[in-house]
Amino acid sequence: MKKRTSILGGAAAIAATFVVFVIPFIFIILMAFKDRQQSALRDFSLPTGFHFWENVVEVVKTRNWMMITAFINSSIITVVSVTLLVIFAAMVGYVLARRKTRWNGLIEFLVLAGLMVPPAVVPTIWLLQGLQLFGTLHGMILIEVAYNLPFSIILYRAFVATIPRDLDEAAIIDGARPLDVFFRIVLPLLWPVTVTNIVVQSVGIFNDFTNPLYYLPGNANATVQLTLYNFQSQFSTAYNLLFTNILLITIPPLLVFMFFNRQIVAGMTAGAVKG
Amino acid sequence: MSASTMAGSPNRAETRAIKRSPYPGWFFTPAAIIYSVLFLVPTFASLYFSLTRWTLFDSEFIGLENFAQFLREPFLIKGLINTVIYAAVTSGLKVVVGLLLAVMLTSQIVGRGYLRSVIFFPVLVSTVGVGITFTVLMHPTQGMINETLALFGIAGPGWLTDPNLALYSVALVDVWKGVGLATVIYIAGLVAIPQDYYEAARIDGATPWQNFWYVTLPLCRPATSTVITLSFIGGLRTFDLIWAMTKGGPGFASDTIASVIYKQYQAGFYGLSTAGNVVLFILIALLVVPLTMFLNRKQGHE
């Protein structure tokens, strides 16, 4: 009896979540397969022909191959800023967890403030202009690092606390220098939380729309999220291209989801204070 | 913060001892420089520039005029109220729906793996992409939602065109996208509840409803406080979804502080835009600090 109700309940839940969560994605895919005329109807119907490949080619070629530029820019920003985040945040988390000084309170306060306080947009632009970093990939990378450091530090600090001190102390007694201890002994031990950090932060930075909108203006610097925003006005009627674009930029997070599902969930629930 | 290695600069021997510390303070330096220059300096600068009329090249001190304007202009006040409504609605719904989904997913139900994936996946999808998709789905006459409702003889509302509804429609989409995160946080919280409690409740003959109300709900309070804090801060700061779906419209009906900040920035009112930032900061401090204190205090009484 119990079993039967759970199967019935499961079937109902599967049906309900299918309607609410899956149909919107099917709609995106169907739209991406349609031609311009059919997509203008914006209804939930099977495509009359297979136009996916044409749509992809057209989206990619639009505005002088802007999509390619955008994918390259987004990849550079994501890879470099996540690399810096991992190293710098691990260094802070490591020392913060290992050494108790009177600075710890201040640093912890700053980390929490970083999660809560909204960035002051125009003063940041003013500062970036002063540093000649406004509208450059370097500037964008440093912004992403600055804004996402607190979350990474929290993840690392919590994890370092679970690693026995004996491991690094043994190396220190053997005369290893702090940098060697960190890079050769501690950082490899932090690998599980590093994977979590990489996955969660890459998805976040790749999907970031607001910060590139403010700090990285101009078509040459477009990131993938901004191509969507540009396409929206340009193809106000070409829904097939708009949805092909949405589908294309959903592929990287989908791949990450398929391979790192567990790490993402672990990271987001462990450091569940991200603002 | 390398300051810790220099602190006090005592005699040489001691300095060398500190320098030789296996956990050197200079490990903070790279992070501290980036964070201070790009986050702390602009934050403190915003306190000054919010009091000026500002063109980025020069600024004229005008006192609290920007803030006065914020409280005078009806559309700016509207943005302020909308922000609070949006944060309250999204975090409230995420708590309720997230908890229900988590209870369902931790029970003996078929297709758990599928359900979990399907509910969580939208968290990872581009917010703007989701916003555009739902803008199309919510179109008053040609959108799929209203066309489906019409099949059942229901005249669907103008989700994003009705000024009284637009903000709530965007909030609903926010819940659709974010409830997966609330659910996995709750799942982590529910799994951590020791089975003994349910065992004891079963012996006492508790109904499933009593189980939920007197065991599950009080014991997953840490998860609840995390979900509320997280989605409340997120809701107050929200920009991309609103911008992708309504651009604050129709009129100013769904403007939030974050969209006002962007609009004032685009219009060249840098001082006013920065004042918006300070207002948002004050709002977060005023609402979130007491909220977290309240949630944690309750927890302490358990």
Side-chain angles (χ1 to χ4, degrees), chain A residues 20 42 99 110 168 207 225, chain B residues 23 35 124 126 142 176 226:
Chain A
V20 176
R42 287 166 278 168
R99 198 168 111 177
L110 289 175
D168 33 295
N207 279 340
Q225 305 303 320
Chain B
Y23 310 112
Y35 184 77
L124 304 178
S126 143
Q142 287 174 298
W176 180 88
T226 306

Side-chain angles (χ1 to χ4, degrees), chain A residues 4-16:
Chain A
R4 186 151 169 211
T5 53
S6 78
I7 288 177
L8 274 179
I14 289 171

Side-chain angles (χ1 to χ4, degrees), chain B residues 261-284:
Chain B
I261 292 171
Y262 184 67
K263 284 180 177 174
Q264 300 303 329
Y265 160 71
Q266 271 190 319
F269 298 121
Y270 299 130
L272 191 60
S273 171
T274 307
N277 249 307
V278 176
V279 170
L280 181 55
F281 168 52
I282 294 170
L283 194 69
I284 290 179

Side-chain angles (χ1 to χ4, degrees), chain A residues 78 82 86 151 155 192-206 253 255-265 267-268, chain B residues 120 124:
Chain A
T78 308
V82 170
V86 162
F151 180 64
L155 283 184
V193 76
T194 301
V195 173
T196 305
N197 251 309
I198 292 175
V199 171
V200 174
Q201 299 287 27
S202 339
V203 171
I205 293 172
F206 187 83
L255 292 177
V256 168
F257 176 66
M258 279 158 48
F259 292 110
F260 298 102
N261 188 359
R262 197 155 297 178
Q263 282 88 346
I264 297 178
V265 171
M268 285 185 164
Chain B
F120 185 71
L124 304 178

Side-chain angles (χ1 to χ4, degrees), chain B:
Chain B
M1 233 153 275
S2 62
S4 59
T5 53
M6 298 176 213
S9 66
N11 63 57
R12 240 194 193 161
E14 203 181 329
T15 317
R16 211 182 295 151
I18 293 170
K19 254 190 193 160
R20 248 192 268 132
S21 161
Y23 310 112
W26 67 262
F27 268 38
F28 293 140
T29 317
I33 291 175
I34 294 178
Y35 184 77
S36 312
V37 172
L38 291 170
F39 185 77
L40 291 181
V41 171
T43 301
F44 284 110
S46 73
L47 298 179
Y48 170 72
F49 284 119
S50 63
L51 304 173
T52 65
R53 191 173 288 124
W54 188 24
T55 64
L56 283 184
F57 301 105
D58 64 323
S59 55
E60 179 198 343
F61 189 82
I62 53 168
L64 292 170
E65 181 51 34
N66 286 326
F67 294 97
Q69 196 175 347
F70 236 97
L71 299 176
R72 212 168 40 224
E73 300 275 357
F75 71 97
L76 295 178
I77 298 177
K78 179 92 181 155
L80 200 71
I81 296 167
N82 278 349
T83 308
V84 179
I85 295 176
Y86 187 91
V89 169
T90 50
S91 57
L93 281 177
K94 280 177 194 173
V95 165
V96 175
V97 181
L99 179 56
L100 292 180
L101 289 173
V103 168
M104 187 179 88
L105 288 177
T106 45
S107 69
Q108 302 294 325
I109 198 170
V110 289
R112 264 189 295 181
Y114 157 85
L115 291 169
R116 219 162 152 155
S117 309
V118 158
I119 292 165
F120 185 71
F121 183 59
V123 173
L124 304 178
V125 176
S126 143
T127 311
V128 186
V130 168
I132 294 173
T133 307
F134 273 91
T135 312
V136 171
L137 294 176
M138 284 178 164
H139 190 279
T141 51
Q142 287 174 298
M144 209 177 86
I145 295 178
N146 279 1
E147 280 178 352
T148 313
L149 287 177
L151 290 180
F152 298 99
I154 304 166
W159 298 99
L160 299 169
T161 48
D162 180 345
N164 296 320
L165 201 62
L167 186 73
Y168 298 96
S169 303
V170 180
L172 268 186
V173 177
D174 191 316
V175 174
W176 180 88
K177 185 174 155 39
V179 78
L181 183 55
T183 308
V184 294
I185 292 172
Y186 266 123
I187 290 176
L190 292 182
V191 170
I193 298 177
Q195 281 303 311
D196 311 5
Y197 289 95
Y198 292 106
E199 195 68 15
R202 200 178 53 84
I203 290 165
D204 289 347
T207 62
W209 173 249
Q210 285 171 326
N211 250 342
F212 174 77
W213 196 253
Y214 295 107
V215 181
T216 310
L217 204 55
L219 286 173
C220 69
R221 195 164 254 154
T224 306
S225 89
T226 306
V227 171
I228 292 181
T229 319
L230 209 97
S231 44
F232 200 77
I233 298 177
L236 290 175
R237 287 169 60 162
T238 196
F239 169 74
D240 35 13
L241 194 61
I242 297 232
W243 197 248
M245 293 188 72
T246 64
K247 296 210 163 32
F252 306 107
S254 61
D255 256 327
T256 62
I257 298 182
S259 72
V260 166
I261 292 171
Y262 184 67
K263 284 180 177 174
Q264 300 303 329
Y265 160 71
Q266 271 190 319
F269 298 121
Y270 299 130
L272 191 60
S273 171
T274 307
N277 249 307
V278 176
V279 170
L280 181 55
F281 168 52
I282 294 170
L283 194 69
I284 290 179
L286 283 183
L287 295 177
V288 174
V289 172
L291 184 72
T292 41
M293 272 164 62
F294 171 75
L295 291 169
N296 291 335
R297 185 182 59 97
K298 277 274 177 116
Q299 216 170 291
H301 276 289
E302 289 302 321

Side-chain angles (χ1 to χ4, degrees), chain A residues 4 13 32 38 41 51 88 113-114 129 134 137 143 169 180 210-211 218 229 249 253:
Chain A
R4 186 151 169 211
Q38 200 200 353
L41 296 171
H51 299 280
F88 296 163
Q129 281 181 341
F134 182 62
L137 289 184
I143 289 280
E169 270 166 7
D180 289 331
T210 315
N211 294 317
Y229 177 61
I249 68 167

Side-chain angles (χ1 to χ4, degrees), chain A residues 32-90:
Chain A
F33 278 80
K34 292 173 182 174
D35 63 7
R36 187 166 178 152
Q37 245 179 339
Q38 200 200 353
S39 70
L41 296 171
R42 287 166 278 168
D43 56 354
F44 195 80
S45 58
L46 286 176
T48 47
F50 184 84
H51 299 280
F52 181 60
W53 190 240
E54 296 158 43
N55 290 341
V56 170
V57 171
E58 201 170 338
V59 166
V60 170
K61 277 164 81 172
T62 306
R63 288 217 186 166
N64 218 355
W65 306 86
M66 188 177 181
M67 193 73 179
I68 303 284
T69 321
F71 255 99
I72 294 173
N73 286 342
S74 283
S75 309
I76 294 175
I77 293 171
T78 308
V79 171
V80 178
S81 50
V82 170
T83 310
L84 295 178
L85 266 173
V86 162
I87 296 173
F88 296 163

